[in-house]
Amino acid sequence: MDQILELLGNNLIFSVPLVVVVVFVLLEVILMMTGFSVLEPLNGLFDGAESIDAPGAELLAWANKGGVPSTVFYGILLMSFGACGLFIVSVFYGLALPAWYMSAVIAVVSFFAALAWTRWVSLLAAKYLPQVQTSAFSKKELLGCECEVKDYKITKEQGGDVKVTDKNGKERFVFARAADENELIKGDTALIVKIEKNNFYVRKKS
């Protein structure tokens, strides 16, 4: 146990992501018993890979961002990054602290390894969770489709995840913003009314 703590303490760049995910998962489990959620509000803080202006959008899209809820996607990514980094350090350095430049190299390697692992896990999850479909599709297919807001709030400025059923009956999560000044909240039913620069825009269904 002491050796594990020493390894974690000497490699905070990798151990902190693991701790963050574990803490939020524990909080979510506890709050679920009271009917609340700590993870839902976080979805609105994440930029979707559907936006071509988002930094690293192409990498995130390749890793299957949008195929699962944002909190699930980033949770897998952080856990994979931390675990991979600690594994590499333990193999080559034992419990010692690598030089800063080697930590940087290990971090880069771990990040790309985590992306590949996240892609595989999210695609596997979609195979056994029918509510999340991740097969390739044309965004235009979703135009006019009905969707359900899954984040606590969606506005023109602040986007969030919605669950949409396409015309073939498949369900998937996409990142969307409000098409007008009307705010949407979790549970609202909306329609995808516009797709612009790969961004989805929704309007509350009257």
Side-chain angles (χ1 to χ4, degrees), residues 2-16 85-86 89-90 93-100 103 106:
D2 291 339
Q3 292 180 336
I4 294 177
L5 292 177
E6 184 178 353
L7 177 64
L8 295 176
N10 286 338
N11 298 276
L12 294 179
I13 188 175
F14 303 118
S15 58
V16 168
L86 289 175
V89 170
S90 64
Y93 294 91
L95 301 178
L97 175 64
W100 67 268
S103 292
I106 295 172

Side-chain angles (χ1 to χ4, degrees), residues 101-124:
Y101 54 88
M102 286 307 302
S103 292
V105 171
I106 295 172
V108 172
V109 173
S110 298
F111 174 73
F112 285 103
L115 278 178
W117 178 255
T118 301
R119 172 181 170 82
W120 184 82
V121 171
S122 60
L123 289 173
L124 184 64

Side-chain angles (χ1 to χ4, degrees), residues 69-188:
S70 291
T71 48
V72 174
F73 176 84
Y74 287 109
I76 297 172
L77 185 62
L78 288 174
M79 287 286 288
S80 303
F81 171 76
C84 183
L86 289 175
F87 174 75
I88 295 175
V89 170
S90 64
V91 169
F92 291 99
Y93 294 91
L95 301 178
L97 175 64
W100 67 268
Y101 54 88
M102 286 307 302
S103 292
V105 171
I106 295 172
V108 172
V109 173
S110 298
F111 174 73
F112 285 103
L115 278 178
W117 178 255
T118 301
R119 172 181 170 82
W120 184 82
V121 171
S122 60
L123 289 173
L124 184 64
K127 182 178 180 180
Y128 295 100
L129 297 175
Q131 70 271 22
V132 181
Q133 299 290 335
T134 59
S135 57
F137 69 100
S138 170
K139 296 179 178 64
K140 293 182 179 180
E141 294 178 8
L142 301 184
L143 189 62
C145 289
E146 188 175 290
C147 61
E148 179 186 355
V149 176
K150 304 304 291 184
D151 273 319
Y152 76 106
K153 181 172 67 174
I154 291 180
T155 65
K156 290 183 69 174
E157 294 75 27
Q158 177 180 313
D161 285 334
V162 300
K163 185 173 73 172
V164 56
T165 303
D166 65 20
K167 296 174 182 178
N168 296 318
K170 294 182 179 179
E171 294 181 340
R172 62 183 85 245
F173 287 90
V174 299
F175 186 85
R177 300 180 187 276
D180 50 34
E181 300 299 331
N182 295 321
E183 178 183 295
L184 296 93
I185 60 175
K186 182 179 179 182
D188 281 348

Side-chain angles (χ1 to χ4, degrees), residues 21-68:
V21 174
V22 170
V23 168
F24 275 109
V25 169
L26 291 176
L27 284 175
E28 180 72 1
V29 171
I30 294 172
L31 290 177
M32 281 177 62
M33 301 177 184
T34 62
F36 293 96
S37 172
V38 71
L39 297 181
E40 288 292 349
L42 293 178
N43 280 321
L45 301 177
F46 297 127
D47 289 328
E50 304 300 334
S51 171
I52 60 174
D53 298 323
E58 293 183 0
L59 277 177
L60 295 179
W62 177 84
N64 201 36
K65 171 68 176 69
V68 291

